[in-house]
Amino acid sequence: MGKYLLRRILQMIPVVLGTTLLVYALVFALPGDPVKAMFGDKPVNEAVAAQIRAEYNLDKPFIIQYLLFLKNALTLNFGETFSGQPVISEIARAFPVTIKLALMAFCFEAIFGVVFGAISGLKKGKWYDSVILIVSLLLISVPTFVTGFVGQYVLGVQLRIFPVTAGSNPGFFDLLMPAMVLGSVSMAYIIRLSRSEISTNIPQDYVRTARAKGMSNTSVTFRHILRNSMIPVVTYLGQDLGALMGGAMVTEQIFNIHGVGYLTYQSILKGEANMVVSIVTLLTLVFVVCNLVVDMLYAALDPRIRYA
Amino acid sequence: MASIEETPLLKVDSVDESAPATSMWADAWRTLRRNPLFIISGILIVFIVFVALFPGVFTRENPNYCTLENSLGAASSGHPFGFDLQGCDVYARVVYGTRTSLSVGILSTLIVVFFGSLVGAIAGFCGGWVDAVLSRIVDIFMAIPMLLGAIVVLQMFRTSESIWKVVLVLALFGWVSVARIARSAVLSTKNLEFNTASTALGSTPMRNLFRHIIPNSLAPIIVIATTSLGSYIVSEATLSFLGIGLPTTTVSWGGDISNAQSLLRTDPMVLFYPSVALAITVLAFIMMGDAVKDALDPKSRTA
Amino acid sequence: MTESNNVKASEVSSASTSTNSRIATADQLHEQQLAQGPLLEVKDLQVDFTSDTGKAIHAVTDSSFSVYPGQWVAIVGESGSGKSTSAMACLGLLPGTGHVVGGSIKLDGEEISGWKPKEFVKIRGSKMGLVPQDPMSNLNPVWRIGTQVKESLVANNMDVSHEKRSKLSKALADTSVQLKDEGDETFIGSKELPQLLEAAEKALVETGCEGAKLEKAMADFRTDWVAGSETRWRVADDLMRYGVKDDDAWYIAKKYVTGSTMEDRIAGLLSEAGLPDAATRARQFPHEFSGGMRQRALIAIGLACRPELLIADEPTSALDVTVQKKILDHLRMLTDSLGTAVLFITHDLGLAAERAQHIVVMYKGRVVESGPSLEVLQHPQHPYTKRLVAAAPSLASQRIVSVKEHGGDASAIMEHKVDTAKLEANDTIIDVEHLTKEFKLPRRKELFKAVDDVSFKLKRGTTLAIVGESGSGKSTVANMCLKLLEPTSGKVLYDGQDIANFKGKSLLDFRRHVQPVFQNPYGSLDPMYSIFRSIEEPLHIHGIGDKKSRAARVRELLDMVELPESVMGRYPNELSGGQRQRIAIARAMALNPDVIVCDEAVSALDVLVQDQVLQLLNDLQAERGLSYLFITHDLAVVRQIADDVVVMQHGKLVEHGTTDQVFNNPQKQYTRDLLDAIPGGKLELGVDLADKK
């Protein structure tokens, strides 16, 4: 297990380097002048532009720029925004909100996804299986922002169960509806994944062997069918946690939640390339770490992986 | 015990000549035809494509003809969905938006499938260091969530007026999932015995690749292509919704939904129509993907 | 360890004295069994499956058989004959849409065919156990082996500190042996084991036992006294056997043998099934086990709750023959000592006859014949059974029949020993010299030698068989002869030329002359190609003929392998395994090769189909003077086709000789083991070969 962990971490390094390089290159090396972009529609002040170029090392060769950026990133020094705030402190304000939102969405999709998926997979062909399937198909097809509006309109405006927007310092209840909206698509995927995994596991030989031992249907279901079906589901969930943080942008926008996504969006509107690249780098790191955790979980759940 | 008359001895391993001959594709087609999911989604897709090709058949209105005096006007004859804030005909915009969504979806899918399967096939077929390098590149792209990556790139091109920027960005971050699937499909096909058999017959590796491996790896690629088409349409709409996707001059569902956002409390129907159109389109492609998957799934096929 | 286990166990059965020694004859035992009435009685069973379109598919149309307590009954049939389905119906474990539509299944006189799933749970494990077919897929990969054994014990609320005896052994004990009470049947616990051994040594010393004798006694005790498996009375018995006084022996046994824990019992069960080092093994996962070890674990699971009936569904068909023999011997001994009845399902008539007292033959969902094993084998009544008996690989050389059919004088051939003459006179077509192949294993430094210095010669117009078990390197040799793999050292000469030098045109020319037929009839044909395209492919690659002539050639080839022209438009998934294999042979023959390398070409086929394909190969050789390099794990098949045999083990050549030499006078122990393991090889059969067709 220790060796496996080490190998995975070593394999992670080139991915992290490559990913940050890619993000950096996309922002600073694509055709189009990032400094010009910073000025947006305003006329470019050449003196200021030169100063910015120097500050962000844009006057140096690309690879040096990148290495300096990496060095700064490692010390969490991402520079300053246009208004002079340190980027890192802005991010530090926004991150907890998004983490809260993502974790709530994660719990929502994990619990409901697995429960409905299991019901649907174990009772294939029953009417509620069809209902669950149709609902999950709908959730996948309807984009998050549409689900968000529907929720906002029905639960917020019409029924007044949940607050319509969350505001800058949201509590648990404020985030409940956004979390459900954010987690809805993944929940639908988890339902489908669990269902198909369960139906591939039911006819497996070892399930028959377990029944032949005289085990009751309940214990066969839990110990053999569900236990084995959960391996890919847990993998999916782990990868999704990272994706939820990045995917929160739309939800945060709709519900006016001042998290990372909201910050990114505002920075894009303001043209703060530095902020954007910092956030994306951090989120990518979160994603990569989540993947590593998934690998560990995978190894813990499936003994075959540990020794592979 | 059964008597001899009851169990007449058949010729050992005789061929049943009565059954009709079927190839894998014919088999898949037969399964598909019987699948209600396929019939429903098929009809929907044909309809959607028709609307996209000939929007003029469905409305005489110009989606870009907007006058403020019509702002938020109610539904009336010739304007079944009413008017939006700018006074544009919502029905006409929904009809013309079909073409935008569909072209973005189809173009991105084509590019993604082409490059994704090319890279995946090369990685799977060559193996060794080629595979190692390509797989790491795939990992790198995989580590960037699509939406974030797209935002980073698109914010550089906010002034561009072409739908190609969205297509290319979706392709840039979408090809990796196809590449992964193509790689594993090629890898699993590569090791099947019929390739070894062909080699022993005198076939070259390249001939094997094109005559045996690629045709046998197509099924999973077709499945992901169908499902991806739907998800690219969603992504395009999401990007347009965020205001960094399609140019505002292009009629698109995502853009219209974004514009109608502020009307949620007062005039939700303006928001409703493009959303439904978008959902139905995506649903049709995802259902089609499901149906195709059922039909092409090697597990469901009789080996 | 396995050996010592066998020894131990045989001692157990003799020490238990119940079954073997005190009952005079097998007949008497048989009477005992009959007197108890059938344990399982299946009558006119019908099982249907429902197809996707809602049509009923009759898998079993008429199946009747009975299993008496302690009896081994074998159901024999080809794939799809309904033999497994019949057995699974008894357990209430029909797969998918299967359901019993008629007939009755009685267990101990109670009708169970209409039972609900819940009711079956009561009898599974405790009354009926299962040893399934494929050891690779029948253990859940995520649970430890021990846990999977434990599930069985827990599910049936088994008392893990005492042995449970079956009804038969109790019934037998009633008449001839003193019945062991529960106290006597207490298991050794691993905690008390060291003290028990200490006390035993002390007692032995007190009786004056010393030196080598003491050493031997203690060594025996250490191997025999397995915690969770050996019981108090056996310990006492063992002590008495080494001279400890009865009272002292019982005193020690009672004091130290106080019952095992769950963990002890699990290890005990696994070691009974012949798994060495069971306590450690129980903590491992299935993927750390070899196929044979997994099958032993499955046997332990099947027998864990001491069922009265064990359903063994092809328990060894996925294993090497020598492993199969060991496992079945062991299972036999275990079930005998426990008085367990076994319903043994197999496709191999020889194996069935060798192992079971009673044989039931199934064909197309019906029981066509049933009776005592030898009776069925020597006087088969139904034509299907006759055909099966005739095709059994352990019977006389197939080729002689073949030559006869082609008008040759079989007796003359046999007298002149034409094989030997040919072997001496004909020129060498493939010459393998000191062939070695090393592979690099992932994350290992040392190289793995798959093939180690193998040399042999294949003479034109003859067949050379390479025999070996899995991992012997036989397929690696085949692939090197086909130039699909490059040897690490040594060389392969084709017609005197080193094949390593073939490139481009000369390689294409070599391919034209040396063709393969692979093992897997499902994998070796491209599923996307029609049969016509598959057979035409080699002609296409080598640019032979035009469209018309190729089509004519394909027809000719199909005719040669006795398939109708109508299969040309079909796809591999529509054909049976045997038909696909014949297509593969047709494809190999398309270029008129000199040599065909058959890599396990008939291993995956049913006996009759296998027989048909072998005959086809023999006919082709007789007609066209082909040379075969025939790779197989099955020595029985070798006799039907080969002139020359190479036996391989762990990459090394063990023995090389003509078929007659190897079969009649094997030189090496390994070859003898292989020969010994051929199921039913030593049965006396009185079959008229003329009945064959």
Side-chain angles (χ1 to χ4, degrees), chain C residues 121 162 233 282 325 335 393 462 487 580 616:
Chain C
V121 171
H162 300 100
W233 67 264
K325 185 173 186 300
T335 54
T462 68
R580 291 182 205 200
L616 173 67

Side-chain angles (χ1 to χ4, degrees), chain C residues 35-57:
Chain C
Q36 299 220 347
L39 180 61
L40 178 76
E41 194 176 16
V42 175
K43 253 204 172 131
D44 310 326
L45 182 70
Q46 285 174 289
V47 178
D48 277 9
F49 285 84
T50 315
S51 74
D52 292 343
T53 48
K55 258 192 282 175
I57 301 160

